mmCIF file with all atom_site columns, all heavy atoms in Angstrom:
data_model
loop_
_atom_site.group_PDB
_atom_site.id
_atom_site.type_symbol
_atom_site.label_atom_id
_atom_site.label_alt_id
_atom_site.label_comp_id
_atom_site.label_asym_id
_atom_site.label_entity_id
_atom_site.label_seq_id
_atom_site.pdbx_PDB_ins_code
_atom_site.Cartn_x
_atom_site.Cartn_y
_atom_site.Cartn_z
_atom_site.occupancy
_atom_site.B_iso_or_equiv
_atom_site.pdbx_formal_charge
_atom_site.auth_seq_id
_atom_site.auth_comp_id
_atom_site.auth_asym_id
_atom_site.auth_atom_id
_atom_site.pdbx_PDB_model_num
ATOM 1   N N   . ASP L 1 1  ? 6.634   -1.263  -8.612  1.00 93.00 ? 1  ASP L N   1
ATOM 2   C CA  . ASP L 1 1  ? 5.945   -1.694  -9.840  1.00 93.00 ? 1  ASP L CA  1
ATOM 3   C C   . ASP L 1 1  ? 4.798   -2.694  -9.564  1.00 93.00 ? 1  ASP L C   1
ATOM 4   O O   . ASP L 1 1  ? 4.043   -2.940  -10.461 1.00 93.00 ? 1  ASP L O   1
ATOM 5   C CB  . ASP L 1 1  ? 6.951   -2.389  -10.792 1.00 93.00 ? 1  ASP L CB  1
ATOM 6   C CG  . ASP L 1 1  ? 7.868   -1.330  -11.362 1.00 93.00 ? 1  ASP L CG  1
ATOM 7   O OD1 . ASP L 1 1  ? 7.447   -0.163  -11.597 1.00 93.00 ? 1  ASP L OD1 1
ATOM 8   O OD2 . ASP L 1 1  ? 9.059   -1.655  -11.579 1.00 93.00 ? 1  ASP L OD2 1
ATOM 9   N N   . TYR L 1 2  ? 4.772   -3.232  -8.396  1.00 95.00 ? 2  TYR L N   1
ATOM 10  C CA  . TYR L 1 2  ? 3.768   -4.240  -8.083  1.00 95.00 ? 2  TYR L CA  1
ATOM 11  C C   . TYR L 1 2  ? 3.156   -4.039  -6.658  1.00 95.00 ? 2  TYR L C   1
ATOM 12  O O   . TYR L 1 2  ? 3.899   -3.781  -5.704  1.00 95.00 ? 2  TYR L O   1
ATOM 13  C CB  . TYR L 1 2  ? 4.417   -5.647  -8.097  1.00 95.00 ? 2  TYR L CB  1
ATOM 14  C CG  . TYR L 1 2  ? 3.494   -6.826  -7.609  1.00 95.00 ? 2  TYR L CG  1
ATOM 15  C CD1 . TYR L 1 2  ? 2.551   -7.388  -8.504  1.00 95.00 ? 2  TYR L CD1 1
ATOM 16  C CD2 . TYR L 1 2  ? 3.629   -7.215  -6.350  1.00 95.00 ? 2  TYR L CD2 1
ATOM 17  C CE1 . TYR L 1 2  ? 1.759   -8.427  -8.066  1.00 95.00 ? 2  TYR L CE1 1
ATOM 18  C CE2 . TYR L 1 2  ? 2.797   -8.240  -5.882  1.00 95.00 ? 2  TYR L CE2 1
ATOM 19  C CZ  . TYR L 1 2  ? 1.956   -8.875  -6.829  1.00 95.00 ? 2  TYR L CZ  1
ATOM 20  O OH  . TYR L 1 2  ? 1.027   -9.822  -6.322  1.00 95.00 ? 2  TYR L OH  1
ATOM 21  N N   . THR L 1 3  ? 1.880   -4.035  -6.582  1.00 95.00 ? 3  THR L N   1
ATOM 22  C CA  . THR L 1 3  ? 1.219   -3.934  -5.313  1.00 95.00 ? 3  THR L CA  1
ATOM 23  C C   . THR L 1 3  ? 0.139   -5.048  -5.285  1.00 95.00 ? 3  THR L C   1
ATOM 24  O O   . THR L 1 3  ? -0.594  -5.320  -6.216  1.00 95.00 ? 3  THR L O   1
ATOM 25  C CB  . THR L 1 3  ? 0.444   -2.555  -5.211  1.00 95.00 ? 3  THR L CB  1
ATOM 26  O OG1 . THR L 1 3  ? 1.403   -1.561  -5.298  1.00 95.00 ? 3  THR L OG1 1
ATOM 27  C CG2 . THR L 1 3  ? -0.230  -2.489  -3.830  1.00 95.00 ? 3  THR L CG2 1
ATOM 28  N N   . TRP L 1 4  ? 0.049   -5.631  -4.073  1.00 96.00 ? 4  TRP L N   1
ATOM 29  C CA  . TRP L 1 4  ? -0.966  -6.762  -3.803  1.00 96.00 ? 4  TRP L CA  1
ATOM 30  C C   . TRP L 1 4  ? -1.865  -6.305  -2.684  1.00 96.00 ? 4  TRP L C   1
ATOM 31  O O   . TRP L 1 4  ? -1.352  -5.638  -1.743  1.00 96.00 ? 4  TRP L O   1
ATOM 32  C CB  . TRP L 1 4  ? -0.241  -8.015  -3.549  1.00 96.00 ? 4  TRP L CB  1
ATOM 33  C CG  . TRP L 1 4  ? -1.106  -9.022  -2.961  1.00 96.00 ? 4  TRP L CG  1
ATOM 34  C CD1 . TRP L 1 4  ? -1.821  -10.055 -3.704  1.00 96.00 ? 4  TRP L CD1 1
ATOM 35  C CD2 . TRP L 1 4  ? -1.555  -9.359  -1.639  1.00 96.00 ? 4  TRP L CD2 1
ATOM 36  N NE1 . TRP L 1 4  ? -2.534  -10.848 -2.928  1.00 96.00 ? 4  TRP L NE1 1
ATOM 37  C CE2 . TRP L 1 4  ? -2.362  -10.450 -1.631  1.00 96.00 ? 4  TRP L CE2 1
ATOM 38  C CE3 . TRP L 1 4  ? -1.179  -8.803  -0.411  1.00 96.00 ? 4  TRP L CE3 1
ATOM 39  C CZ2 . TRP L 1 4  ? -2.885  -10.985 -0.449  1.00 96.00 ? 4  TRP L CZ2 1
ATOM 40  C CZ3 . TRP L 1 4  ? -1.750  -9.288  0.778   1.00 96.00 ? 4  TRP L CZ3 1
ATOM 41  C CH2 . TRP L 1 4  ? -2.588  -10.386 0.745   1.00 96.00 ? 4  TRP L CH2 1
ATOM 42  N N   . ARG L 1 5  ? -3.107  -6.605  -2.759  1.00 96.00 ? 5  ARG L N   1
ATOM 43  C CA  . ARG L 1 5  ? -4.066  -6.266  -1.733  1.00 96.00 ? 5  ARG L CA  1
ATOM 44  C C   . ARG L 1 5  ? -4.844  -7.500  -1.324  1.00 96.00 ? 5  ARG L C   1
ATOM 45  O O   . ARG L 1 5  ? -5.264  -8.252  -2.284  1.00 96.00 ? 5  ARG L O   1
ATOM 46  C CB  . ARG L 1 5  ? -5.069  -5.241  -2.155  1.00 96.00 ? 5  ARG L CB  1
ATOM 47  C CG  . ARG L 1 5  ? -4.446  -3.847  -2.454  1.00 96.00 ? 5  ARG L CG  1
ATOM 48  C CD  . ARG L 1 5  ? -5.441  -2.938  -3.010  1.00 96.00 ? 5  ARG L CD  1
ATOM 49  N NE  . ARG L 1 5  ? -4.944  -1.583  -3.272  1.00 96.00 ? 5  ARG L NE  1
ATOM 50  C CZ  . ARG L 1 5  ? -4.252  -1.246  -4.286  1.00 96.00 ? 5  ARG L CZ  1
ATOM 51  N NH1 . ARG L 1 5  ? -4.016  -2.078  -5.268  1.00 96.00 ? 5  ARG L NH1 1
ATOM 52  N NH2 . ARG L 1 5  ? -3.806  0.009   -4.413  1.00 96.00 ? 5  ARG L NH2 1
ATOM 53  N N   . ALA L 1 6  ? -5.053  -7.768  -0.130  1.00 96.00 ? 6  ALA L N   1
ATOM 54  C CA  . ALA L 1 6  ? -5.903  -8.835  0.362   1.00 96.00 ? 6  ALA L CA  1
ATOM 55  C C   . ALA L 1 6  ? -7.364  -8.644  -0.136  1.00 96.00 ? 6  ALA L C   1
ATOM 56  O O   . ALA L 1 6  ? -7.751  -7.439  -0.334  1.00 96.00 ? 6  ALA L O   1
ATOM 57  C CB  . ALA L 1 6  ? -5.939  -8.932  1.934   1.00 96.00 ? 6  ALA L CB  1
ATOM 58  N N   . ASP L 1 7  ? -8.131  -9.675  -0.302  1.00 95.00 ? 7  ASP L N   1
ATOM 59  C CA  . ASP L 1 7  ? -9.446  -9.566  -0.884  1.00 95.00 ? 7  ASP L CA  1
ATOM 60  C C   . ASP L 1 7  ? -10.317 -8.715  0.020   1.00 95.00 ? 7  ASP L C   1
ATOM 61  O O   . ASP L 1 7  ? -11.200 -7.954  -0.469  1.00 95.00 ? 7  ASP L O   1
ATOM 62  C CB  . ASP L 1 7  ? -10.126 -11.020 -0.927  1.00 95.00 ? 7  ASP L CB  1
ATOM 63  C CG  . ASP L 1 7  ? -9.447  -11.790 -2.104  1.00 95.00 ? 7  ASP L CG  1
ATOM 64  O OD1 . ASP L 1 7  ? -8.805  -11.175 -2.926  1.00 95.00 ? 7  ASP L OD1 1
ATOM 65  O OD2 . ASP L 1 7  ? -9.692  -13.036 -2.131  1.00 95.00 ? 7  ASP L OD2 1
ATOM 66  N N   . PHE L 1 8  ? -10.134 -8.789  1.352   1.00 94.00 ? 8  PHE L N   1
ATOM 67  C CA  . PHE L 1 8  ? -10.985 -8.059  2.218   1.00 94.00 ? 8  PHE L CA  1
ATOM 68  C C   . PHE L 1 8  ? -10.745 -6.534  2.149   1.00 94.00 ? 8  PHE L C   1
ATOM 69  O O   . PHE L 1 8  ? -11.513 -5.713  2.643   1.00 94.00 ? 8  PHE L O   1
ATOM 70  C CB  . PHE L 1 8  ? -10.852 -8.436  3.688   1.00 94.00 ? 8  PHE L CB  1
ATOM 71  C CG  . PHE L 1 8  ? -9.440  -8.347  4.274   1.00 94.00 ? 8  PHE L CG  1
ATOM 72  C CD1 . PHE L 1 8  ? -8.972  -7.064  4.660   1.00 94.00 ? 8  PHE L CD1 1
ATOM 73  C CD2 . PHE L 1 8  ? -8.621  -9.385  4.444   1.00 94.00 ? 8  PHE L CD2 1
ATOM 74  C CE1 . PHE L 1 8  ? -7.720  -6.920  5.234   1.00 94.00 ? 8  PHE L CE1 1
ATOM 75  C CE2 . PHE L 1 8  ? -7.335  -9.295  4.924   1.00 94.00 ? 8  PHE L CE2 1
ATOM 76  C CZ  . PHE L 1 8  ? -6.883  -8.063  5.396   1.00 94.00 ? 8  PHE L CZ  1
ATOM 77  N N   . VAL L 1 9  ? -9.664  -6.118  1.510   1.00 94.00 ? 9  VAL L N   1
ATOM 78  C CA  . VAL L 1 9  ? -9.442  -4.571  1.370   1.00 94.00 ? 9  VAL L CA  1
ATOM 79  C C   . VAL L 1 9  ? -10.450 -3.995  0.470   1.00 94.00 ? 9  VAL L C   1
ATOM 80  O O   . VAL L 1 9  ? -10.896 -2.833  0.668   1.00 94.00 ? 9  VAL L O   1
ATOM 81  C CB  . VAL L 1 9  ? -7.964  -4.415  0.860   1.00 94.00 ? 9  VAL L CB  1
ATOM 82  C CG1 . VAL L 1 9  ? -7.791  -2.944  0.476   1.00 94.00 ? 9  VAL L CG1 1
ATOM 83  C CG2 . VAL L 1 9  ? -6.980  -4.770  1.944   1.00 94.00 ? 9  VAL L CG2 1
ATOM 84  N N   . LYS L 1 10 ? -10.767 -4.735  -0.603  1.00 84.00 ? 10 LYS L N   1
ATOM 85  C CA  . LYS L 1 10 ? -11.862 -4.252  -1.490  1.00 84.00 ? 10 LYS L CA  1
ATOM 86  C C   . LYS L 1 10 ? -11.643 -2.834  -2.024  1.00 84.00 ? 10 LYS L C   1
ATOM 87  O O   . LYS L 1 10 ? -12.542 -2.125  -2.278  1.00 84.00 ? 10 LYS L O   1
ATOM 88  C CB  . LYS L 1 10 ? -13.271 -4.312  -0.820  1.00 84.00 ? 10 LYS L CB  1
ATOM 89  C CG  . LYS L 1 10 ? -13.585 -5.648  -0.271  1.00 84.00 ? 10 LYS L CG  1
ATOM 90  C CD  . LYS L 1 10 ? -14.872 -5.557  0.543   1.00 84.00 ? 10 LYS L CD  1
ATOM 91  C CE  . LYS L 1 10 ? -15.270 -6.787  1.358   1.00 84.00 ? 10 LYS L CE  1
ATOM 92  N NZ  . LYS L 1 10 ? -16.371 -6.635  2.266   1.00 84.00 ? 10 LYS L NZ  1
ATOM 93  N N   . GLY L 1 11 ? -10.396 -2.506  -2.234  1.00 89.00 ? 11 GLY L N   1
ATOM 94  C CA  . GLY L 1 11 ? -10.074 -1.208  -2.814  1.00 89.00 ? 11 GLY L CA  1
ATOM 95  C C   . GLY L 1 11 ? -10.128 -0.078  -1.783  1.00 89.00 ? 11 GLY L C   1
ATOM 96  O O   . GLY L 1 11 ? -10.023 1.088   -2.203  1.00 89.00 ? 11 GLY L O   1
ATOM 97  N N   . ARG L 1 12 ? -10.285 -0.340  -0.521  1.00 96.00 ? 12 ARG L N   1
ATOM 98  C CA  . ARG L 1 12 ? -10.499 0.618   0.442   1.00 96.00 ? 12 ARG L CA  1
ATOM 99  C C   . ARG L 1 12 ? -9.113  1.166   1.016   1.00 96.00 ? 12 ARG L C   1
ATOM 100 O O   . ARG L 1 12 ? -9.110  2.257   1.558   1.00 96.00 ? 12 ARG L O   1
ATOM 101 C CB  . ARG L 1 12 ? -11.248 0.051   1.728   1.00 96.00 ? 12 ARG L CB  1
ATOM 102 C CG  . ARG L 1 12 ? -12.681 -0.449  1.376   1.00 96.00 ? 12 ARG L CG  1
ATOM 103 C CD  . ARG L 1 12 ? -13.422 -0.963  2.556   1.00 96.00 ? 12 ARG L CD  1
ATOM 104 N NE  . ARG L 1 12 ? -12.660 -2.178  3.046   1.00 96.00 ? 12 ARG L NE  1
ATOM 105 C CZ  . ARG L 1 12 ? -12.297 -2.387  4.366   1.00 96.00 ? 12 ARG L CZ  1
ATOM 106 N NH1 . ARG L 1 12 ? -12.641 -1.528  5.259   1.00 96.00 ? 12 ARG L NH1 1
ATOM 107 N NH2 . ARG L 1 12 ? -11.680 -3.512  4.690   1.00 96.00 ? 12 ARG L NH2 1
ATOM 108 N N   . PHE L 1 13 ? -8.079  0.314   0.877   1.00 97.00 ? 13 PHE L N   1
ATOM 109 C CA  . PHE L 1 13 ? -6.790  0.746   1.399   1.00 97.00 ? 13 PHE L CA  1
ATOM 110 C C   . PHE L 1 13 ? -5.820  0.908   0.349   1.00 97.00 ? 13 PHE L C   1
ATOM 111 O O   . PHE L 1 13 ? -5.903  0.355   -0.815  1.00 97.00 ? 13 PHE L O   1
ATOM 112 C CB  . PHE L 1 13 ? -6.277  -0.384  2.320   1.00 97.00 ? 13 PHE L CB  1
ATOM 113 C CG  . PHE L 1 13 ? -7.051  -0.728  3.540   1.00 97.00 ? 13 PHE L CG  1
ATOM 114 C CD1 . PHE L 1 13 ? -6.675  -1.763  4.338   1.00 97.00 ? 13 PHE L CD1 1
ATOM 115 C CD2 . PHE L 1 13 ? -8.248  -0.019  3.892   1.00 97.00 ? 13 PHE L CD2 1
ATOM 116 C CE1 . PHE L 1 13 ? -7.362  -2.117  5.558   1.00 97.00 ? 13 PHE L CE1 1
ATOM 117 C CE2 . PHE L 1 13 ? -8.952  -0.288  4.993   1.00 97.00 ? 13 PHE L CE2 1
ATOM 118 C CZ  . PHE L 1 13 ? -8.502  -1.397  5.797   1.00 97.00 ? 13 PHE L CZ  1
ATOM 119 N N   . ALA L 1 14 ? -4.781  1.803   0.524   1.00 96.00 ? 14 ALA L N   1
ATOM 120 C CA  . ALA L 1 14 ? -3.742  2.078   -0.443  1.00 96.00 ? 14 ALA L CA  1
ATOM 121 C C   . ALA L 1 14 ? -2.451  2.188   0.298   1.00 96.00 ? 14 ALA L C   1
ATOM 122 O O   . ALA L 1 14 ? -2.393  2.747   1.437   1.00 96.00 ? 14 ALA L O   1
ATOM 123 C CB  . ALA L 1 14 ? -4.042  3.358   -1.241  1.00 96.00 ? 14 ALA L CB  1
ATOM 124 N N   . ILE L 1 15 ? -1.350  1.776   -0.335  1.00 94.00 ? 15 ILE L N   1
ATOM 125 C CA  . ILE L 1 15 ? -0.037  1.859   0.266   1.00 94.00 ? 15 ILE L CA  1
ATOM 126 C C   . ILE L 1 15 ? 0.775   2.881   -0.591  1.00 94.00 ? 15 ILE L C   1
ATOM 127 O O   . ILE L 1 15 ? 0.545   2.939   -1.848  1.00 94.00 ? 15 ILE L O   1
ATOM 128 C CB  . ILE L 1 15 ? 0.621   0.524   0.266   1.00 94.00 ? 15 ILE L CB  1
ATOM 129 C CG1 . ILE L 1 15 ? 1.886   0.551   1.046   1.00 94.00 ? 15 ILE L CG1 1
ATOM 130 C CG2 . ILE L 1 15 ? 0.842   -0.019  -1.148  1.00 94.00 ? 15 ILE L CG2 1
ATOM 131 C CD1 . ILE L 1 15 ? 2.478   -0.830  1.315   1.00 94.00 ? 15 ILE L CD1 1
ATOM 132 N N   . SER L 1 16 ? 1.572   3.675   0.042   1.00 93.00 ? 16 SER L N   1
ATOM 133 C CA  . SER L 1 16 ? 2.417   4.589   -0.686  1.00 93.00 ? 16 SER L CA  1
ATOM 134 C C   . SER L 1 16 ? 3.788   4.683   0.008   1.00 93.00 ? 16 SER L C   1
ATOM 135 O O   . SER L 1 16 ? 3.894   4.288   1.233   1.00 93.00 ? 16 SER L O   1
ATOM 136 C CB  . SER L 1 16 ? 1.794   5.954   -0.751  1.00 93.00 ? 16 SER L CB  1
ATOM 137 O OG  . SER L 1 16 ? 1.434   6.503   0.530   1.00 93.00 ? 16 SER L OG  1
ATOM 138 N N   . ARG L 1 17 ? 4.689   5.262   -0.655  1.00 93.00 ? 17 ARG L N   1
ATOM 139 C CA  . ARG L 1 17 ? 6.056   5.327   -0.158  1.00 93.00 ? 17 ARG L CA  1
ATOM 140 C C   . ARG L 1 17 ? 6.615   6.710   -0.462  1.00 93.00 ? 17 ARG L C   1
ATOM 141 O O   . ARG L 1 17 ? 6.388   7.253   -1.484  1.00 93.00 ? 17 ARG L O   1
ATOM 142 C CB  . ARG L 1 17 ? 6.959   4.317   -0.809  1.00 93.00 ? 17 ARG L CB  1
ATOM 143 C CG  . ARG L 1 17 ? 8.293   4.075   -0.339  1.00 93.00 ? 17 ARG L CG  1
ATOM 144 C CD  . ARG L 1 17 ? 9.168   3.366   -1.378  1.00 93.00 ? 17 ARG L CD  1
ATOM 145 N NE  . ARG L 1 17 ? 8.640   2.042   -1.775  1.00 93.00 ? 17 ARG L NE  1
ATOM 146 C CZ  . ARG L 1 17 ? 9.156   0.921   -1.298  1.00 93.00 ? 17 ARG L CZ  1
ATOM 147 N NH1 . ARG L 1 17 ? 10.086  0.880   -0.370  1.00 93.00 ? 17 ARG L NH1 1
ATOM 148 N NH2 . ARG L 1 17 ? 8.661   -0.282  -1.786  1.00 93.00 ? 17 ARG L NH2 1
ATOM 149 N N   . ASP L 1 18 ? 7.325   7.260   0.540   1.00 93.00 ? 18 ASP L N   1
ATOM 150 C CA  . ASP L 1 18 ? 8.031   8.500   0.362   1.00 93.00 ? 18 ASP L CA  1
ATOM 151 C C   . ASP L 1 18 ? 9.472   8.242   0.709   1.00 93.00 ? 18 ASP L C   1
ATOM 152 O O   . ASP L 1 18 ? 9.842   8.287   1.831   1.00 93.00 ? 18 ASP L O   1
ATOM 153 C CB  . ASP L 1 18 ? 7.368   9.597   1.257   1.00 93.00 ? 18 ASP L CB  1
ATOM 154 C CG  . ASP L 1 18 ? 7.984   11.006  1.034   1.00 93.00 ? 18 ASP L CG  1
ATOM 155 O OD1 . ASP L 1 18 ? 9.089   11.087  0.442   1.00 93.00 ? 18 ASP L OD1 1
ATOM 156 O OD2 . ASP L 1 18 ? 7.269   11.977  1.424   1.00 93.00 ? 18 ASP L OD2 1
ATOM 157 N N   . ASN L 1 19 ? 10.218  8.106   -0.332  1.00 89.00 ? 19 ASN L N   1
ATOM 158 C CA  . ASN L 1 19 ? 11.655  7.850   -0.106  1.00 89.00 ? 19 ASN L CA  1
ATOM 159 C C   . ASN L 1 19 ? 12.407  8.965   0.483   1.00 89.00 ? 19 ASN L C   1
ATOM 160 O O   . ASN L 1 19 ? 13.357  8.757   1.219   1.00 89.00 ? 19 ASN L O   1
ATOM 161 C CB  . ASN L 1 19 ? 12.290  7.347   -1.388  1.00 89.00 ? 19 ASN L CB  1
ATOM 162 C CG  . ASN L 1 19 ? 11.793  5.975   -1.898  1.00 89.00 ? 19 ASN L CG  1
ATOM 163 O OD1 . ASN L 1 19 ? 11.407  5.182   -1.072  1.00 89.00 ? 19 ASN L OD1 1
ATOM 164 N ND2 . ASN L 1 19 ? 11.879  5.731   -3.151  1.00 89.00 ? 19 ASN L ND2 1
ATOM 165 N N   . ALA L 1 20 ? 11.991  10.167  0.114   1.00 93.00 ? 20 ALA L N   1
ATOM 166 C CA  . ALA L 1 20 ? 12.704  11.319  0.743   1.00 93.00 ? 20 ALA L CA  1
ATOM 167 C C   . ALA L 1 20 ? 12.498  11.414  2.278   1.00 93.00 ? 20 ALA L C   1
ATOM 168 O O   . ALA L 1 20 ? 13.427  11.771  2.989   1.00 93.00 ? 20 ALA L O   1
ATOM 169 C CB  . ALA L 1 20 ? 12.081  12.596  0.166   1.00 93.00 ? 20 ALA L CB  1
ATOM 170 N N   . LYS L 1 21 ? 11.420  10.887  2.811   1.00 95.00 ? 21 LYS L N   1
ATOM 171 C CA  . LYS L 1 21 ? 11.121  10.878  4.188   1.00 95.00 ? 21 LYS L CA  1
ATOM 172 C C   . LYS L 1 21 ? 11.502  9.502   4.829   1.00 95.00 ? 21 LYS L C   1
ATOM 173 O O   . LYS L 1 21 ? 11.367  9.286   5.984   1.00 95.00 ? 21 LYS L O   1
ATOM 174 C CB  . LYS L 1 21 ? 9.688   11.239  4.536   1.00 95.00 ? 21 LYS L CB  1
ATOM 175 C CG  . LYS L 1 21 ? 9.317   12.651  4.109   1.00 95.00 ? 21 LYS L CG  1
ATOM 176 C CD  . LYS L 1 21 ? 7.911   12.983  4.564   1.00 95.00 ? 21 LYS L CD  1
ATOM 177 C CE  . LYS L 1 21 ? 7.599   14.425  4.173   1.00 95.00 ? 21 LYS L CE  1
ATOM 178 N NZ  . LYS L 1 21 ? 6.216   14.849  4.609   1.00 95.00 ? 21 LYS L NZ  1
ATOM 179 N N   . ASN L 1 22 ? 11.870  8.556   3.941   1.00 95.00 ? 22 ASN L N   1
ATOM 180 C CA  . ASN L 1 22 ? 12.174  7.171   4.401   1.00 95.00 ? 22 ASN L CA  1
ATOM 181 C C   . ASN L 1 22 ? 10.982  6.606   5.174   1.00 95.00 ? 22 ASN L C   1
ATOM 182 O O   . ASN L 1 22 ? 11.126  6.010   6.297   1.00 95.00 ? 22 ASN L O   1
ATOM 183 C CB  . ASN L 1 22 ? 13.463  7.177   5.192   1.00 95.00 ? 22 ASN L CB  1
ATOM 184 C CG  . ASN L 1 22 ? 14.157  5.862   5.096   1.00 95.00 ? 22 ASN L CG  1
ATOM 185 O OD1 . ASN L 1 22 ? 14.061  5.124   4.121   1.00 95.00 ? 22 ASN L OD1 1
ATOM 186 N ND2 . ASN L 1 22 ? 14.902  5.483   6.150   1.00 95.00 ? 22 ASN L ND2 1
ATOM 187 N N   . ALA L 1 23 ? 9.788   6.769   4.599   1.00 96.00 ? 23 ALA L N   1
ATOM 188 C CA  . ALA L 1 23 ? 8.618   6.334   5.182   1.00 96.00 ? 23 ALA L CA  1
ATOM 189 C C   . ALA L 1 23 ? 7.618   5.687   4.174   1.00 96.00 ? 23 ALA L C   1
ATOM 190 O O   . ALA L 1 23 ? 7.700   5.936   3.015   1.00 96.00 ? 23 ALA L O   1
ATOM 191 C CB  . ALA L 1 23 ? 7.926   7.507   5.859   1.00 96.00 ? 23 ALA L CB  1
ATOM 192 N N   . VAL L 1 24 ? 6.723   4.887   4.772   1.00 96.00 ? 24 VAL L N   1
ATOM 193 C CA  . VAL L 1 24 ? 5.677   4.365   3.976   1.00 96.00 ? 24 VAL L CA  1
ATOM 194 C C   . VAL L 1 24 ? 4.368   4.593   4.686   1.00 96.00 ? 24 VAL L C   1
ATOM 195 O O   . VAL L 1 24 ? 4.351   4.770   5.965   1.00 96.00 ? 24 VAL L O   1
ATOM 196 C CB  . VAL L 1 24 ? 5.806   2.805   3.688   1.00 96.00 ? 24 VAL L CB  1
ATOM 197 C CG1 . VAL L 1 24 ? 7.088   2.535   2.804   1.00 96.00 ? 24 VAL L CG1 1
ATOM 198 C CG2 . VAL L 1 24 ? 5.924   1.995   4.951   1.00 96.00 ? 24 VAL L CG2 1
ATOM 199 N N   . TYR L 1 25 ? 3.291   4.521   3.945   1.00 97.00 ? 25 TYR L N   1
ATOM 200 C CA  . TYR L 1 25 ? 1.976   4.869   4.550   1.00 97.00 ? 25 TYR L CA  1
ATOM 201 C C   . TYR L 1 25 ? 0.978   3.918   4.105   1.00 97.00 ? 25 TYR L C   1
ATOM 202 O O   . TYR L 1 25 ? 0.963   3.281   2.994   1.00 97.00 ? 25 TYR L O   1
ATOM 203 C CB  . TYR L 1 25 ? 1.570   6.271   4.033   1.00 97.00 ? 25 TYR L CB  1
ATOM 204 C CG  . TYR L 1 25 ? 2.609   7.349   4.328   1.00 97.00 ? 25 TYR L CG  1
ATOM 205 C CD1 . TYR L 1 25 ? 3.524   7.653   3.341   1.00 97.00 ? 25 TYR L CD1 1
ATOM 206 C CD2 . TYR L 1 25 ? 2.708   7.928   5.603   1.00 97.00 ? 25 TYR L CD2 1
ATOM 207 C CE1 . TYR L 1 25 ? 4.482   8.606   3.617   1.00 97.00 ? 25 TYR L CE1 1
ATOM 208 C CE2 . TYR L 1 25 ? 3.684   8.825   5.816   1.00 97.00 ? 25 TYR L CE2 1
ATOM 209 C CZ  . TYR L 1 25 ? 4.598   9.193   4.851   1.00 97.00 ? 25 TYR L CZ  1
ATOM 210 O OH  . TYR L 1 25 ? 5.614   10.134  5.036   1.00 97.00 ? 25 TYR L OH  1
#
């Protein structure tokens, strides 16, 4: 429900999670 990004990311990076694969990206 909450995502935080460092200022230097500037919207260039995104995090995602796949619980079925037990992995994050």
Side-chain angles (χ1 to χ4, degrees):
D1 287 328
Y2 172 84
T3 301
W4 171 88
R5 295 174 176 83
D7 288 343
F8 60 77
V9 170
K10 303 173 191 175
R12 301 178 296 133
F13 298 177
I15 190 171
S16 61
R17 188 198 301 257
D18 186 337
N19 289 332
K21 295 184 177 179
N22 210 26
V24 294
Y25 306 96

